[in-house]
Amino acid sequence: MKEKLTSLWQKLFGDPVRAFGVVSLVFLLSLAIAPAKNYFSEWRHYQHSYLRMIRNRSDANTLQRHFQGGIHQIWLPELGVVDRCTSCHVGLKEASLTDVATQPFRKHPVVPHKLDEFGCVVCHRGQGAATTVAEAHNSTLAWEQPILPAKYIESSCGQCHRGPMLGTPQLNQGRALLKREGCVHCHTIKLPDGSPIQPNDDPPSLEHIADKTTREWIYAWLRDPQSYAASATMPNFKLSDDDARDVSAFLMANSAPLAGDRAKITAKPASDPSAGPSLYGESFCASCHSVQNAAGNLVGGDVGPELTRIGSKVKPEWLQAWLRNPRSYDPGTAMPHYRLNDGQVATLSGFLLAKTDSDLLANVHLDPATPEQIAHGKRLVSDYGCASCHEIAGIKKPENFAPELTRIGSKPITQLIFLPGMQHTLPEYIAGKIKQPRAFSPGLKMPQYTLAPAQIDALTTALLSFNERSFTLPPSLAVPGVPESDYQPAGKAGKLMSDLACFSCHRISGHGGDMAPDLTWEGSSVQREWLVQFFKNPGTLRPALIRRMPRFNLTDGEITELTDYIMTVYQNPAVDRDSMPLSGYPQGQVELGRQLFYGKYSCQGCHIVDTKTDKGYIGPTLTHVGSRLTAAWMYQWMKNPQALRPGTIEPNRAMSDEDARALTAFLMSQKGGAKQEIAKK
Amino acid sequence: MIRYGSAVSAFVLTVLAASCSHKGESAILPKPTAFGAAVVESSGGKQLAQTGSLLPQPVVVQVNDEQGAAVTGALVEFAAAPGVGFDPPDGLTDSSGQVTTNVSLAGMAGRYQITAFTFDKSHKRLELKLEEIALGYQETLGRRLNDQYCDRCHNSESTVERVSNYDNLEVKPHPFTEGDTLNKISNTDLTAIITNGGPALQKSALMPAWGNTLSKTDIQALIAYIRAVSDPPSRSAGPTYARR
């Protein structure tokens, strides 16, 4: 062995000339490594394949002209972008490459932003400066920001766009879920402007819970809220039998009775068994509350809680007191104060109390609570942060109960603990944590939510948008959302409107729900007499609508109060109600309007004027519109509907003044024997 | 030199490890207890989802025997272009002869061909091909605009929440899936009809002009959506991604 080595040494370095030659050769070879690496680099390989691909295309010349070899770079100092992605993704801007299925040569799909203004990593994440596939797309030791999976791409829109947009449904849904599922009760999320996201799920106060329900129900609910109502917002805290027993003991012992909740009604429910369901229907309870049907599907709205098993939950006296006036138990409730008489309260409560589930409480047997159990229950209530959501007498709402998520979208992977078998990426971690929080450690307090996979994706998308970049981007790029206004009507009418919970369905001056029409300009839009009649007996204006305004049994005084307020305050400065007459238009103009209605503008596609011939189901029925709307409103509406009600789907037809006036004349002639019809309902 | 050597060996090891793990994934398949004569679609074809996302409904396929009766215990595997995910990627048919899988589409907008296959008694491969549609940003925007402005007339299906106006119209609008008609109308003509209404191309005035309500970008997005959902597929909607 030694001899062999010596002879090799002799052969290579035996004499100076030989040694010089060998050493030169070695140096030459090692000098060639760098150029060779460059020559065999990935990006060059992709550029060659791109050139091969375009060679056989009909537009080869154009593509060849656009092509520039070498490393490409998009440099945007104010965004911190140094992106070399276009070195391999050569055809991103080539409109004709939509038919190419192989990456990295496909054209970039149409998005609202230009590549040269935003680069790539602002939306896609990844390592912009890298020039190899692995380093650009995956996390490496030096760089840990991998490419964002396509399903979360909308999170990048959310870095700048803080409000909902039509083109980002998943981001919008995720942001709405953060509020609606109560995530932000425990986790603080501050937007870059410093304002925290506010929840809107309105969890009930537990201060008088013993008036409302039994300890057995609380126990069953705590064990598994979804077994009572599949649609329940409250997550499952996976409490043991003993813990649920003690928490229910504490909540009952801690509850203070509220005067009025125990008053019994002497009135008898209606003897007709259909009276209950029909009162439930007439009151349009289903607009807000859902009930599971025989097929197991939820039917109804999701503003209020599901009522499938309500009879197994509430105490009869409480339900009656609630139906009489929900505001005495919960002043902030979204439920309107229906002015039901005692007979109606008895009928409706009888109907609701019959909605029971004998299985729910069948196996719940609780012995009277001991002081130790109550004390333990209190400790558990503090430990699990129940007061983050619910008002509980004697327990303060904890501050920062759960980790703040303001910059969760850029949390370093090194700070995360992954489950075995999990991909080591931030989106996977966030989604996994939402899906099964306790899997990460049995001692964690975060409860188990019942969310669909699409909801988890949406939440992950929203959370990823709360990242470092959203704080550091130039302020000129931020597109703030429209903040929810805190508009409140004033005076007696304002109090009445809170009592009737108008804002649960209607929107006025940027505040309120979207189930019913926006009333911001209602005073300019409708005729006073119609509004009075509508309050007395609300009919539907749209033939295909299943939701409709309930009748609140208002007194004449209340109706006058509301009507006066609406007619005076909710006026659009651009519409002068008295500038056009309500009737007396020349017959010729009315006739011209009719021709325009059925001809040029074909309004009958969406509206009904003559019930015998017209069938349009989309817009409101116009048989009585001459007794409902003011002529001035109608005229302005024809000219530009979106100016009066942004987002309304009636197209702006850019009508001439003459056409708009003729159509107004025609529609104002549609009085339809209004009084008679309304009386008939 | 030593550093290069170690880098090369590390690379070789990684490649080996990757190929091994790949083999490992496809190796464990449930053993079929029966074989069918055909695999047919039960539900889940022609769905829409955003790129990279889960289809709203699972894909359900059924294996039948020669008489058309459901076969229990046949092995069905799913395959598609890289990036398409199946949960689970294979399974044995249940008592009603069906296998259900949740499908998430890959990151590029366009059509994805999904293949469900099983083997018959003589180990002949039986295939079923389904198509699903992934919507990019523009098509998603178009879809939302369609839901808001177009769908009530252009879609004849009614739900309790949303009653269709289709049957009420004297001249029937074209459903956006009606590729036979819509694929023949150029983008320029579609833009003209949406912007200026039906009469712009001597069509019904029941189609109003949207040019003052929707922006140019909105209208382009709507056309992209129409092209994406068209059946048979529109040529301008791009390629169909299938298994390599």
Side-chain angles (χ1 to χ4, degrees), chain B residues 38-123:
Chain B
V39 51
V40 295
E41 176 188 351
S42 287
S43 64
K46 285 270 152 57
Q47 294 189 70
L48 304 179
Q50 278 174 265
T51 46
S53 308
L54 212 56
L55 291 177
Q57 301 296 325
V59 168
V60 185
V61 300
Q62 183 170 333
V63 176
N64 291 335
D65 61 14
E66 286 86 350
Q67 283 75 42
V71 174
T72 305
L75 174 68
V76 177
E77 292 171 69
F78 295 95
V84 177
F86 295 99
D87 179 25
D90 48 63
L92 297 181
T93 50
D94 62 10
S95 56
S96 45
Q98 295 180 337
V99 173
T100 303
T101 185
N102 289 303
V103 183
S104 56
L105 300 180
M108 283 189 283
R111 276 165 201 260
Y112 285 86
Q113 191 183 68
I114 283 166
T115 317
F117 60 91
T118 185
F119 293 94
D120 71 1
K121 285 185 194 98
S122 51
H123 297 286

Side-chain angles (χ1 to χ4, degrees), chain A residues 454-468:
Chain A
Q455 289 178 309
I456 294 177
D457 287 348
L459 275 169
T460 309
T461 303
L463 287 171
L464 286 167
S465 76
F466 305 121
N467 59 26
E468 211 57 57

Side-chain angles (χ1 to χ4, degrees), chain A residues 98 106 151 154 605 615 617 652, chain B residues 50 52 109 165 168 213 239 241:
Chain A
T98 39
R106 219 185 156 195
K151 69 170 161 179
E154 285 175 19
K615 293 177 191 156
Y617 255 13
N652 177 346
Chain B
Q50 278 174 265
N165 197 42
N168 300 328
T213 314
Y241 300 102

Side-chain angles (χ1 to χ4, degrees), chain B:
Chain B
M1 275 321 225
I2 290 165
R3 264 188 48 219
Y4 281 111
S6 66
V8 165
S9 61
F11 176 75
V12 169
L13 278 177
T14 323
V15 168
L16 274 175
S19 60
C20 283
S21 69
H22 186 77
K23 264 180 205 157
E25 262 169 45
S26 57
I28 316 153
L29 280 175
K31 224 179 152 61
T33 56
F35 298 92
V39 51
V40 295
E41 176 188 351
S42 287
S43 64
K46 285 270 152 57
Q47 294 189 70
L48 304 179
Q50 278 174 265
T51 46
S53 308
L54 212 56
L55 291 177
Q57 301 296 325
V59 168
V60 185
V61 300
Q62 183 170 333
V63 176
N64 291 335
D65 61 14
E66 286 86 350
Q67 283 75 42
V71 174
T72 305
L75 174 68
V76 177
E77 292 171 69
F78 295 95
V84 177
F86 295 99
D87 179 25
D90 48 63
L92 297 181
T93 50
D94 62 10
S95 56
S96 45
Q98 295 180 337
V99 173
T100 303
T101 185
N102 289 303
V103 183
S104 56
L105 300 180
M108 283 189 283
R111 276 165 201 260
Y112 285 86
Q113 191 183 68
I114 283 166
T115 317
F117 60 91
T118 185
F119 293 94
D120 71 1
K121 285 185 194 98
S122 51
H123 297 286
K124 212 184 95 203
R125 193 182 156 98
L126 306 166
E127 277 190 349
L128 166 71
K129 288 193 164 75
L130 299 175
E131 264 190 4
E132 311 291 355
I133 300 166
L135 306 177
Y137 170 81
Q138 203 185 20
E139 296 84 13
T140 301
L141 175 62
R143 183 189 195 184
R144 296 286 138 181
L145 290 163
N146 162 64
D147 290 351
Q148 209 166 329
Y149 295 101
C150 321
D151 195 57
R152 289 279 300 274
C153 289
H154 282 273
N155 180 355
S156 58
E157 269 175 51
S158 278
T159 62
V160 181
E161 292 279 328
R162 170 169 279 221
V163 179
S164 170
N165 197 42
Y166 182 88
D167 290 336
N168 300 328
L169 298 168
E170 224 157 86
V171 181
K172 298 295 174 210
H174 294 294
F176 290 163
T177 47
E178 206 181 283
D180 286 332
T181 315
L182 293 173
N183 289 347
K184 286 183 200 138
I185 306 179
S186 68
N187 281 5
T188 321
D189 283 355
L190 273 185
T191 310
I193 294 176
I194 300 173
T195 312
N196 302 317
L201 261 80
Q202 282 78 50
K203 288 175 181 281
S204 168
L206 285 167
M207 166 73 190
W210 294 96
N212 299 300
T213 314
L214 302 178
S215 68
K216 284 206 172 76
T217 319
D218 287 347
I219 293 173
Q220 279 166 6
L222 264 173
I223 294 175
Y225 171 76
I226 292 171
R227 299 303 190 203
V229 298
S230 158
D231 182 22
S234 147
R235 261 199 302 155
S236 59
T240 298
Y241 300 102
R243 192 161 51 106
R244 280 205 196 122

Side-chain angles (χ1 to χ4, degrees), chain A residues 207 250 254 378 382 392-396:
Chain A
E207 302 204 305
F250 166 70
N254 197 45
K378 183 171 186 175
S382 302
I392 302 171
I395 298 196
K396 267 211 335 230

